[in-house]
Amino acid sequence: EGLSRFKKKKGFVVLNSEAQATLEKMTKFESALREQQSALKEAENLQQRLQTSEAILDSHAVHAVGNGLGSQVLISLAERLSTLQVTLKGLRTKYASQHPAVLQAEQQIQSAKEKLVEEISTLIANLRSRTATFQGTVREYGARLEKLPQAELDLANLTRQARVDEE
């Protein structure tokens, strides 16, 4: 929308091939940055839920985050947690809360949660590192584009934003 208004207002403005290549690279990195930021937010939300001990953890949420991040370890831990929770539920229907089998299942669930927190903490650290790298790269390409004449700079910024929004 803003891009079409700019083109109508300014008329014929063209980016040179170097500026076009820089814009393409910046757009690619900015899209990747947004994906990383989204994944980081999901992982941080999951970590917060895991650390709230009284909250009942939805292993499907862990599985979804693991899938989204491509973490097989997280997926397998989510499956293990889900199995343990089903086992505990069954044990609680048969035994009192202080029965050794119930206590053992609760301990196994706690252990699985702790492993999940460790794995998510590692993933969050990696995501933060990648996010910082992408931010630096986007800034670097932005600095290159800043050297363009104003009309070309405006065109580049509007084009980049339109492409990032599409992705």
Side-chain angles (χ1 to χ4, degrees):
E1 183 182 311
L3 181 59
S4 60
R5 275 197 315 260
F6 173 83
K7 286 181 177 180
K8 285 179 185 173
K9 181 179 175 186
K10 295 289 184 178
F12 190 73
V13 177
V14 184
L15 296 175
N16 65 39
S17 60
E18 184 181 338
Q20 189 65 38
T22 299
L23 178 63
E24 293 294 326
K25 290 175 186 174
M26 185 176 180
T27 301
K28 181 181 108 182
F29 281 107
E30 196 165 10
S31 293
L33 173 60
R34 284 189 182 183
E35 288 175 21
Q36 290 295 308
Q37 288 170 328
S38 176
L40 178 59
K41 186 175 183 177
E42 276 186 66
E44 287 172 337
N45 287 340
L46 180 58
Q47 182 184 42
Q48 187 175 16
R49 285 186 302 209
L50 278 170
Q51 290 172 337
T52 306
S53 59
E54 60 275 355
I56 296 173
L57 183 68
D58 179 11
S59 61
H60 296 294
V62 177
H63 196 278
V65 171
N67 257 340
L69 298 175
S71 171
Q72 282 304 121
V73 174
L74 203 57
I75 292 169
S76 68
L77 286 170
E79 290 168 356
R80 170 100 172 107
L81 181 62
S82 180
T83 301
L84 289 169
Q85 287 173 329
V86 168
T87 301
L88 178 61
K89 202 175 225 180
L91 289 171
R92 284 184 173 158
T93 62
K94 292 180 185 177
Y95 304 112
S97 63
Q98 295 303 309
H99 189 276
V102 172
L103 295 174
Q104 181 183 12
E106 288 173 345
Q107 178 56 40
Q108 289 174 331
I109 287 173
Q110 188 58 38
S111 175
K113 281 185 176 183
E114 288 169 6
K115 287 177 184 170
L116 274 168
V117 168
E118 283 178 33
E119 180 63 20
I120 288 174
S121 294
T122 301
L123 287 170
I124 286 172
N126 291 339
L127 286 168
R128 285 181 178 154
S129 175
R130 282 185 285 200
T131 297
T133 300
F134 284 131
Q135 286 171 332
T137 304
V138 167
R139 275 193 302 274
E140 180 184 313
Y141 284 118
R144 290 181 192 174
L145 290 176
E146 288 292 324
K147 295 174 184 170
L148 294 174
Q150 190 59 48
E152 288 182 39
L153 178 60
D154 292 343
L155 174 62
N157 284 332
L158 290 166
T159 302
R160 176 187 50 79
Q161 192 59 51
R163 289 182 186 163
V164 168
D165 289 343
E166 283 176 11
E167 293 178 16

